[in-house]
């Protein structure tokens, strides 16, 4: 099993190019099968989840032509199989987007229930409620979601909870339903807006994405398009926190600063300097960092996907901080691992109370999920000594060439797959 081995202590300095947004791209790739014409998607992140979804789309008969690592052409006209129950699809959470896409276009879908990160129960009841409201008959049988409809009729849907996935999924299906659909209490994340823009570029009629009321007027057909995915605000934020933790000076390039406002606000609060440019943000951490309070919220609040990274930085900031996780019920699994590196964190229900320590010390840790894994790497970059992060396939689900980008900023980090390589690295850096 591959691992990252890290020697901490080097400040990260320099520039890093941010890739396309994984959570926008996963929905866009699914929506691409809603037309019989060829769709070209650029600025795809070349990460595990994307490649798994592309394999699943190919499995059901779509033409998938990988032009290069970051560009794909998809033609859904060859799809004959609406049963998506293959080894690929059960691995990822975003498999649920294929339900909305196939239901919208073919009025039927049979998709394996989603897998994904273990950060909570992650139900999809809001998705299924939305499909039913549009006129579909929805069942769960033998681990599959079965959805089919004679006709899909636009309607007024109020989401009991703000859900990114449910908002996007219902928006996709409604884009080919008859008549008007209104989604109230919709998620406002940048990737919701990106998927709406993508669908509109295919001829859909969606207004209000990015607000909590989205209005859709269904169309009969969608057509070809060429589309570039927005930059990944979570990848960008992860590098911004890595700069803070290592007292570095990092410019993240090819970003939309507005999408990073909550992260920038917190970095300023704890004592970093942050400079915004048109498509870049520079983070300088030259002074000692201090404590703050953070609560994860839906956009434009502080993103839950940045919660572990924030906690790692607060773990070596002066004073006592609190991090409240209000979106998922089990997103503090990294705390046990961080404690092995010397962190002083106590979790009570959905609040982590963090007493900052001078420094972390290197240790062997396991990545419990995607973002927590990235956060443990950040801790290793700031720690005294050697850290080995195991189960890095979680991290590679959402970060492209993570260790290469960090090494280019001055980090001493390598991907290894044996004890021998760890010893070799340790000798080299000592
Ligand atoms: C998306 O997950 C992202 N994943 C997550 O990113 C992200 O953390 C999350 O949005 C919140 O921003 C993808 O886009 C593939 P939700 P999603 O529906 O859509 C509850 C990462 O690290 N809920 O907004 O599944 C749910 O349990 C991943 O890239 C229901 O109760 O998140 C959670 O408590 C991790 N019923 C809350 O809503 C439903 O039907 C928000 O979930 C759906 C969700």
């Amino acid at each position: 099993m591959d691992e990252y081995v890290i020697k901490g202590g080097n400040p990260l300095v320099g520039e890093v190019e941010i890739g396309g947004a994984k959570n926008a791209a996963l929905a866009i790739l699914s929506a691409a099968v809603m037309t019989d014409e060829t769709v070209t998607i650029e600025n795809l992140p070349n990460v595990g989840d994307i490649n798994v979804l592309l394999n699943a789309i190919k499995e059901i008969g779509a033409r998938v032509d990988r032009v290069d690592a970051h560009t794909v052409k998809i033609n859904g006209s060859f799809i004959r199989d609406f049963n998506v129950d293959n080894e690929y699809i059960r691995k990822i959470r975003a498999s649920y987007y294929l339900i909305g896409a196939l239901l919208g276009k073919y009025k039927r879908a049979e998709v394996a229930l989603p897998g994904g990160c273990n950060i909570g129960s992650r139900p999809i009841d809001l998705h299924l409620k939305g499909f039913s409201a549009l006129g579909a008959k929805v069942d769960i049988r033998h681990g599959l979601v079965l959805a089919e409809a004679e006709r899909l009729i636009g309607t007024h849907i109020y989401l009991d909870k703000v859900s990114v996935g449910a908002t996007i999924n219902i928006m996709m299906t409604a884009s080919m339903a008859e008549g008007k659909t209104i989604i109230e209490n919709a998620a406002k994340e940048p990737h919701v807006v990106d998927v709406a823009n993508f669908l509109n570029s295919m001829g859909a009629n969606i207004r209000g994405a990015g607000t909590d009321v989205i209005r859709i007027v269904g169309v009969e057909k969608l057509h070809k398009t060429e589309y570039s995915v927005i930059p990944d605000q979570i990848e960008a934020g992860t590098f911004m926190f890595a700069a803070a933790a290592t007292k570095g000076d990092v410019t993240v390039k090819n970003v939309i600063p507005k999408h990073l406002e909550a992260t920038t606000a917190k970095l300023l609060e704890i004592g970093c300097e942050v400079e915004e440019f048109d498509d870049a943000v520079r983070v300088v951490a030259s002074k000692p960092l201090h404590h703050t309070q953070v609560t994860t919220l839906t956009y434009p609040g502080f993103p839950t996907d940045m919660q572990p990274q924030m906690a790692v930085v607060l773990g070596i900031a002066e004073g006592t901080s609190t991090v409240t996780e209000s979106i998922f019920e089990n997103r503090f699994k990294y705390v046990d691992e961080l404690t092995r590196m010397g962190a002083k964190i106590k979790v009570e229900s959905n609040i982590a109370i963090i007493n900052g320590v001078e420094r972390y010390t290197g240790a062997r840790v396991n990545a419990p999920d995607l973002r927590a894994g990235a956060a443990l790497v950040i801790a290793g970059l700031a720690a005294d000594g050697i850290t080995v992060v195991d189960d890095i396939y979680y991290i590679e689900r959402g970060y492209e060439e993570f260790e290469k980008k960090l090494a280019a900023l001055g980090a001493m980090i390598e991907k290894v797959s044996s004890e021998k390589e760890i010893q070799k690295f340790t000798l080299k850096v000592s």
Side-chain angles (χ1 to χ4, degrees):
M1 217 44 132
D2 287 345
E3 300 165 306
Y4 289 142
V5 57
I6 304 160
K7 175 149 185 323
N10 284 12
L12 296 190
V13 178
E15 297 183 343
V16 58
E17 281 287 333
I18 298 303
K22 164 180 85 83
N23 293 343
L26 289 166
I28 286 170
L29 289 176
S30 302
V33 306
M34 296 179 78
T35 172
D36 285 338
E37 299 177 17
T38 298
V39 168
T40 304
I41 298 159
E42 292 159 354
N43 201 34
L44 267 186
N46 184 18
V47 296
D49 277 8
I50 294 292
N51 297 322
V52 165
L53 183 61
L54 284 172
N55 283 329
I57 291 172
K58 211 182 285 181
E59 278 281 295
I60 58 173
R63 279 272 173 79
V64 175
D65 166 21
R66 196 69 179 260
V67 176
D68 62 39
H70 302 119
T71 310
V72 71
K73 286 180 186 291
I74 291 178
N75 184 306
S77 63
F78 302 91
I79 290 176
R80 290 289 170 272
D81 181 359
F82 310 117
N83 173 307
V84 191
D85 183 16
N86 51 54
E87 46 158 332
Y88 304 110
I89 210 63
R90 284 193 291 273
K91 281 187 194 146
I92 56 171
R93 166 94 187 142
S95 54
Y96 49 48
Y97 287 134
L98 282 176
I99 310 169
L102 295 172
L103 180 63
K105 181 181 178 192
Y106 298 105
K107 310 289 180 284
R108 54 186 288 236
E110 289 180 21
V111 180
L113 271 165
C117 270
N118 42 4
I119 55 176
S121 62
R122 308 197 75 183
I124 59 167
D125 56 307
L126 298 174
H127 301 234
L128 306 185
K129 206 173 133 190
F131 299 144
S132 306
L134 289 165
K137 185 174 168 307
V138 181
D139 280 314
I140 293 185
R141 278 207 304 271
H142 312 299
L144 286 170
V145 175
L146 311 165
E148 60 185 332
E150 284 300 308
R151 297 171 61 198
L152 291 168
I153 315 281
T155 184
H156 194 143
I157 295 169
Y158 182 86
L159 289 175
D160 306 337
K161 223 173 176 183
V162 175
S163 158
V164 169
T167 301
I168 290 176
N169 232 342
I170 295 164
M171 189 168 72
M172 271 199 269
T173 306
S175 66
M176 293 189 80
E178 295 167 45
K180 193 169 178 178
T181 296
I182 297 175
I183 305 174
E184 299 244 26
N185 200 23
K188 300 183 274 194
E189 271 69 4
H191 36 290
V192 174
V193 178
D194 207 29
V195 178
N197 291 341
F198 172 72
L199 285 164
N200 283 339
S201 78
M202 291 167 79
N205 181 345
I206 301 170
R207 299 284 171 270
T211 75
D212 52 10
V213 181
I214 299 178
R215 297 170 197 286
I216 301 127
V217 179
V219 295
E220 293 235 326
K221 273 173 85 70
L222 295 172
H223 55 67
K224 64 176 184 263
T225 186
E226 294 196 7
Y227 194 81
S228 183
V229 176
I230 53 165
D232 192 318
Q233 82 206 64
I234 307 299
E235 185 193 16
T238 303
F239 279 96
M240 290 163 74
F241 280 119
T246 59
K247 302 205 174 354
D249 177 349
V250 172
T251 300
V252 291
K253 298 180 72 179
N254 182 30
V255 298
I256 300 172
K258 174 143 186 60
H259 293 168
L260 295 163
E261 277 177 352
T263 299
T264 296
K266 283 301 166 191
L267 287 167
L268 289 167
E269 245 173 68
I270 62 175
C272 294
E273 294 152 64
V274 182
E275 199 177 349
E276 288 186 0
F277 305 90
D278 285 349
D279 63 354
V281 175
R282 180 181 178 194
V283 176
V284 181
S286 49
K287 301 191 287 294
L289 302 179
H290 40 262
H291 62 279
T292 188
Q293 284 69 43
V294 186
T295 298
T296 63
L297 293 168
T298 55
Y299 191 82
F302 188 85
T304 174
D305 290 349
M306 225 80 92
Q307 180 259 89
Q309 300 91 314
M310 175 94 242
V312 160
V313 173
L314 293 175
I316 45 175
E318 288 165 359
T320 300
S321 302
T322 58
V323 173
T324 305
E325 173 56 57
S326 73
I327 307 289
F328 290 107
E329 66 268 24
N330 187 12
R331 201 161 201 174
F332 286 120
K333 290 172 77 110
Y334 60 90
V335 168
D336 291 346
E337 301 299 304
L338 207 51
T339 303
R340 295 159 51 75
M341 299 178 73
K344 292 210 177 343
I345 304 179
K346 194 168 166 18
V347 177
E348 284 173 8
S349 150
N350 67 334
I351 302 177
I353 299 145
I354 303 171
N355 290 309
V357 295
E358 186 65 29
R359 293 186 74 86
Y360 293 124
T361 53
R364 287 190 176 236
V365 292
N366 295 315
D369 62 66
L370 162 56
R371 305 302 175 185
L376 289 169
V377 170
I378 293 175
L381 295 171
D384 268 344
I386 301 285
T387 297
V388 177
V389 181
D390 207 340
D391 299 335
I392 62 167
Y393 61 88
Y394 276 118
I395 301 173
E396 295 184 322
R397 290 180 54 177
Y399 290 92
E400 183 176 346
E401 299 199 326
F402 193 41
E403 81 284 359
K404 289 197 177 81
K405 289 186 175 182
L406 288 167
L409 291 169
M412 285 185 279
I413 179 172
E414 278 179 23
K415 180 154 73 167
V416 295
S417 51
S418 71
E419 276 306 312
K420 198 158 156 294
E421 286 179 279
I422 293 174
Q423 303 315 335
K424 219 167 111 201
F425 173 88
T426 308
L427 275 174
K428 185 170 67 173
V429 299
S430 53

